[in-house]
Structure formats: structure tokens, C-alpha cells
Amino acid sequence: MIQWPKNNDALGTVNRGNPCESGLCTLCTSDCKGKCETWMSSLRGRKILYPRNFGKITSGSSNVTSLGLGYHSLRIQGYAYGSSGLSEGMTKDADDCVFPNVNTETVFGNEVKVKCRVPIMTGALGSTFIATKYWNSFATGAAICGFPIVIGENVVGVDKESKLGGGKISSAPELDRRIDIFKRYDDGHGAIFVQLNVEDTRNGVAEYVINKYGDDVIIELKWGQGAKVIGGEIQVKSINYALFLKERGYVVDPDPSDPSVQAAFERRAITAFARHSRLGATELDTVGEVRESFMKSVDYLRGLGFKRISLKTGSYGMEALAMAIRYSADAKLDLLTIDGSGGGTGMSPWNMMEHWGVPSLALHAKVYDYCKILDDQGIKVPDISLAGGFAREDHIFKALALGAPYTKLVCMGRAPMIPGYLGSNIEGTFYPERRTEINGNWDELPQTVKSFGKYPEEIFSAWEDVKQKVGADEMKNIPFGAVAIAGYVDKLSCGLQQLMAGVRKFNLSEITRDELFSANRETESETGIPFLTEAQKESAERILKG
């Protein structure tokens, strides 16, 4: 297994724990005092694109070779001439062809188009308590920055304040809270999704959402995720809450109604209970039955009034991938999110995360192949979002290029949660009276934060940008976590602009697979992206031969 470095001396970043390919620690803690690249970007924004201590240093990359198959084994092209995709009114003059003029906006959707300021979205943030605790920051940050955010599965079912009447949800305070926070700052960019699993469908979540919010919400069907192959899970420490969840129809392990389990809980031999969701489509036996069932589900949702429907699928094998792409095309879905192994989670069996499913690059390479098969038949391909271990601007560029022209978004799970934690921790030190409410973990600022300033306006590079968007008076209502998300997105957006300018593409729609080459032969074979000395070889030889 490849060992990723724990620190980057050029950027001055370091991981608290063991890093994975994304640059995040395998275990990301909400109380972390720094300072991985994503953590630092949340405070300093685009400053983290560059080596530290300018004027006192020189720096050089150690990334001169690549082993194994992964997004790290793709490299980005650069061109010595040309430009395309400039906005209206601009010319190909060098004064216009500068990276700040790169347009990073994207659009997805079938009949109803959704505009996004940046080509990212969140992975589903569902019933895990970490999502509940920091949702205010996550949703506010997404709305201000103009990218989609997904409310994941089971949010209604685990809410002790929600009410079911006749087996269907009649009141869902936590779901309402999550939607309302996003809508407060929604300016028409991005969107909010609500995801459905087996239990959500049984509980009538779709009916509740359409009746209360109409088509303001995109509804999302779910076929697994990249972190695990079983249903969503959380862990609870209260036996009464565990009993409540069992009564709600969930699988709870161990069984809190079992007298022996209750006795073990009293003796502290058992201290927590895992709540599990059910596997979908267990009653189906053939590909044909899957298609029929899927189309019925989509037709039902459209009959309720949903104009925008998406599907999220996990890192299953090629048959399931083909079904997801073809059936999404047949159903004219607005978005298909495909999550490769290497994805993150709030709670999954560890060795399942380590050993199940198709890793992201291999899966995403086939996404392109399968989309092209449909395209060549004249079948309209659904807009694609790729997920599975993304955190940096180079990840975004590579995923968009690998799946071009079908990929419109990159779905990020754990990475955009980090600024939410960090901002809440900082806010709690300035306003101790809020600390419990916002789930701050620090009593005082650590030195890693103090080095950037004493006041929020100094610490957060995005403070003034956010204030300009919402107004000075509204800043008192903006969570610091949302300001940190704006800083992180600023770094991603600027870094993406620079990479796009390097390939002389000034609009996302201009990016192609030609912008990549493979750093080893295995990657070339699997992705169809030429090895670095094979790319443009014919053109090079024509030049040499005159």
C-alpha cells in the first residue's frame, strides 16, 4: 500500500494522523488543532496555494514519479499556445487570458437547470451526529458559496421530535431546520437535495418534502455509497434512544429489547448500539426487475410533483454502474452521483471501507466509457458528479477532465466538513456562551490559529468577502464555520482557475480528456489516457519532420 507523506514542508502543513490520498487524515476529528492542507485553507484561503516564507526560500516538487493506480497517477497537461472558452467581450489578448478570468461556474440538470458558482457539491450529510451538530455552518457556507448540499438518509427517522401518523411523517423539525438554513442564504446558485433510502421511503419523507417545499428541493434516490456496501449507520449511547429507533423500524444491534442486552448495558459491558438501515432491492432478482422497479420509483416521485430527481450510487461492480448510468438516462434524471471506494463516512465498518468496492479512478474511468457508449447511440447522458476521496483543486480538475464532457460536478464528503468544525471551534473561544450550542471544542485559540491573528477579521481570509455578500449587519448571524468554508472554497476556486489557465481553457465546458496524461502504464491501460510521453507524440513528430 502506498504511504502518503504526513507533512508538506513547502506549504507548512502537517497531518495529525495517518493521511490518505486526499490529504486528509484517515480519522478526521472535529476538535483538531491543525494543520492539514484543508484545515489551513479554511483560514488562509488561496494563500495556501503557494509555498510559505516567500523571499526566504526556494521550493521544488518531489512528485516526479508515480506508482500504482489512483488520481495521483494522472498528471495535468500544459500548453504553449492557444486559448478557448473566454467570456463574451474578452479577446485572446494576453491581458484577457489571465487566470482570474477563468469561469468556474457549472450547470447541471435535465429540463430545469441549476447554476453553481463552483463545480463542487457535498456528499450526503445524513443522520450522523457530526452532520447534525455542524449543519448550520455547512448549509450556510454552501448557500453563500453557491454549491449544492445534500441532506442524507434517515434524518427524519432518527429525529426524536419528528412525528409519524399512520406510519407516515407528519412533522420533521430537524429536516425543516436543515432546509431552512440553506434557503435563508440561497441566492439561486447551488441547490439542496433530500436523500431517500428504504426507511425514508416507508416513512413518507418524499411526500412530506413535496407537500411542504414543492420543487425547491431535489429528491435523491440512493444505491449505496463508496464507503460501505450496507445501509447507513449511526451509533447511540442511550438505551432509550436505541429502543426508540427500533420502534421506528430500524435494525438496532445489539437488540435493546433483549433482556440479556439490557442487563449487559446496566453492567457497562455494552455501552452503545448501532442503528442500521436496510439493503435496497432485496426482492429483485434480475436486471430487468431492477429497471422496472427503478422506473416505477421515478414515475411515482414525478407524480408527487418532483421536477428534479437524482440518483446516488456507490462503488459496485460494472453491472451496477451500467444500470445506474443507463437507467438514469432512460428516466431523464437531473444528476447521477457515482461514489468510488476511498470515500469517507461518519460510521462504517473499518475493514469494509478498506476492502470493498471499486476504487475511485478505476470506477470513474469506466463512467466515461459507459457514458460514451450511450452518447454514441444518440442517448442523452445524465449529468454526472464523481465522488470518492476528493479534497483539493487538482482532484477537481482531474475528475472533471477524466469524465469530460459528462462530468459537471465533483462531490466532496469529508473535506468541506473540516472548515465547519474549525470555524465552530474558533467561534466558541470568542463567544464562550455559544460554545455548547455550536459544538465548539476549544477553551482558547491554539497557537496554530493565533499565528494568523487575534481577531476573526484577521484569522479568516474570507471574512470580508462573506461580509460583502451578506452585509455587515448580517455577519452577526453567520457561523464562523461558514466563513471558513468560504475560505476553503476560495482556495479551491483559485487553484482550479490556475490549472485551467495552464491548459488555456477559460470555461469549464472547454475541459477535455486531452488535458490529462498518465504517469504510469497501468494508469494508461485502465483509463485510456495516454502515457505522458505518448500524449501528443504524433504532433511532436510532425513538427520534427517539418
Side-chain angles (χ1 to χ4, degrees):
M1 183 177 291
I2 297 173
Q3 297 296 313
W4 308 103
K6 287 178 67 76
N7 68 293
N8 184 319
D9 188 38
L11 298 180
T13 60
V14 63
N15 287 72
R16 172 198 52 78
N18 297 326
C20 46
E21 184 179 358
S22 65
L24 308 184
C25 297
T26 52
L27 185 70
C28 182
T29 65
S30 61
D31 61 347
C32 181
K33 296 179 179 178
K35 51 183 184 173
C36 74
E37 184 174 337
T38 300
W39 190 99
M40 291 281 280
S41 301
S42 306
L43 300 181
R44 308 318 296 158
R46 64 184 63 195
K47 178 74 173 174
I48 302 302
L49 291 169
Y50 309 101
R52 60 196 174 106
N53 299 333
F54 174 74
K56 298 180 180 179
I57 54 91
T58 63
S59 58
S61 172
S62 62
N63 186 21
V64 294
T65 188
S66 181
L67 301 174
L69 184 68
Y71 271 92
H72 70 283
S73 62
L74 288 175
R75 294 186 69 88
I76 298 169
Q77 278 274 21
Y79 302 112
Y81 65 91
S83 58
S84 64
L86 288 159
S87 298
E88 186 177 353
M90 291 185 182
T91 71
K92 294 189 175 184
D93 188 276
D95 288 337
D96 283 342
C97 295
V98 292
F99 79 82
N101 287 337
V102 169
N103 183 357
T104 61
E105 293 182 348
T106 190
V107 176
F108 74 90
N110 189 23
E111 293 185 3
V112 180
K113 302 296 183 182
V114 179
K115 297 179 180 179
C116 309
R117 289 198 176 90
V118 284
I120 64 172
M121 63 182 291
T122 69
L125 304 172
S127 58
T128 56
F129 300 134
I130 200 84
T132 303
K133 289 177 180 179
Y134 298 99
W135 181 263
N136 199 10
S137 291
F138 302 154
T140 303
I144 289 173
C145 295
F147 63 84
I149 187 168
V150 183
I151 300 173
E153 58 191 346
N154 296 312
V155 169
V156 176
V158 306
D159 180 7
K160 289 184 282 189
E161 302 302 318
S162 64
K163 293 182 173 58
L164 276 75
K168 300 294 184 182
I169 291 291
S170 59
S171 173
E174 176 60 17
L175 181 66
D176 292 339
R177 180 184 77 91
R178 295 199 188 192
I179 294 172
D180 291 344
I181 289 171
F182 178 84
K183 286 170 65 68
R184 176 170 179 169
Y185 299 102
D186 178 16
D187 68 353
H189 290 81
I192 189 157
F193 293 61
V194 172
Q195 195 177 81
L196 304 177
N197 68 358
V198 173
E199 287 79 10
D200 294 321
T201 301
R202 290 179 179 179
N203 290 336
V205 172
E207 292 83 351
Y208 177 86
V209 169
I210 197 67
N211 288 334
K212 186 159 187 176
Y213 297 101
D215 201 46
D216 287 348
V217 171
I218 299 175
I219 204 75
E220 181 166 273
L221 298 167
K222 185 173 186 184
W223 293 358
Q225 58 174 263
K228 58 179 175 282
V229 72
I230 54 177
E233 301 160 306
I234 62 170
Q235 190 174 111
V236 300
K237 296 182 179 180
S238 163
I239 193 168
N240 290 330
Y241 191 19
L243 287 166
F244 164 81
L245 292 172
K246 182 173 182 180
E247 290 171 2
R248 275 277 163 98
Y250 288 106
V251 177
V252 182
D253 181 46
D255 183 354
S257 64
D258 186 330
S260 63
V261 171
Q262 293 175 351
F265 183 80
E266 290 179 6
R267 294 195 306 270
R268 306 294 297 164
I270 293 173
T271 60
F273 301 86
R275 184 234 64 200
H276 295 260
S277 299
R278 288 168 175 78
L279 297 172
T282 55
E283 75 283 7
L284 307 178
D285 296 315
T286 68
V287 167
E289 289 176 349
V290 172
R291 185 187 187 282
E292 182 182 2
S293 175
F294 180 73
M295 299 303 284
K296 283 182 178 178
S297 296
V298 172
D299 288 344
Y300 177 74
L301 292 172
R302 293 204 192 282
L304 289 177
F306 286 104
K307 296 178 182 177
R308 299 178 296 172
I309 303 173
S310 66
L311 172 66
K312 163 76 177 295
T313 187
S315 48
Y316 301 110
M318 297 305 102
E319 181 185 71
L321 176 64
M323 287 194 297
I325 294 172
R326 179 60 195 255
Y327 302 165
S328 294
D330 291 346
K332 296 180 170 51
L333 295 195
D334 292 86
L335 190 70
L336 169 61
T337 299
I338 300 168
D339 192 2
S341 287
T345 183
M347 182 185 171
S348 293
W350 174 252
N351 286 320
M352 182 178 288
M353 283 197 290
E354 288 282 276
H355 295 285
W356 108 271
V358 184
S360 295
L361 182 65
L363 186 71
H364 296 163
K366 282 300 180 186
V367 170
Y368 170 80
D369 291 345
Y370 290 0
C371 286
K372 192 170 187 310
I373 289 172
L374 295 189
D375 202 5
D376 289 345
Q377 298 177 73
I379 298 171
K380 184 179 179 182
V381 176
D383 288 338
I384 301 293
S385 175
L386 298 179
F390 298 132
R392 301 192 308 262
E393 64 278 359
D394 55 295
H395 297 147
I396 297 171
F397 182 94
K398 290 176 182 179
L400 292 173
L402 180 69
Y406 313 112
T407 304
K408 308 300 182 185
L409 292 163
V410 170
C411 182
M412 308 174 83
R414 295 195 301 146
M417 299 176 77
I418 291 173
Y421 310 150
L422 174 55
S424 297
N425 291 335
I426 294 173
E427 184 173 355
T429 66
F430 284 101
Y431 300 97
E433 69 277 10
R434 302 180 192 168
R435 191 176 300 150
T436 300
E437 179 186 354
I438 64 175
N439 297 286
N441 292 285
W442 301 344
D443 295 325
E444 61 181 24
L445 293 177
Q447 190 57 44
T448 48
V449 177
K450 286 181 180 178
S451 63
F452 299 125
K454 296 180 180 179
Y455 308 106
E457 296 85 347
E458 297 176 288
I459 293 169
F460 294 103
S461 66
W463 187 273
E464 293 300 324
D465 285 342
V466 174
K467 185 168 74 172
Q468 186 176 5
K469 288 179 180 178
V470 304
D473 292 342
E474 186 63 21
M475 280 302 288
K476 65 180 180 295
N477 298 316
I478 301 298
F480 284 18
V483 180
I485 288 173
Y488 174 53
V489 171
D490 174 64
K491 182 257 191 181
L492 294 177
S493 179
C494 181
L496 181 59
Q497 286 179 311
Q498 292 176 347
L499 292 170
M500 289 176 62
V503 298
R504 297 167 183 260
K505 302 296 174 66
F506 289 82
N507 192 296
L508 285 175
S509 62
E510 298 292 317
I511 295 177
T512 71
R513 284 165 61 90
D514 291 339
E515 271 65 85
L516 300 174
F517 42 55
S518 296
N520 59 48
R521 296 293 185 178
E522 180 184 6
T523 302
E524 178 186 40
S525 174
E526 189 60 41
T527 65
I529 301 292
F531 183 65
L532 47 90
T533 57
E534 299 293 332
Q536 299 182 325
K537 181 180 177 181
E538 292 181 0
S539 177
E541 291 179 351
R542 283 197 301 269
I543 292 169
L544 293 171
K545 294 175 181 178

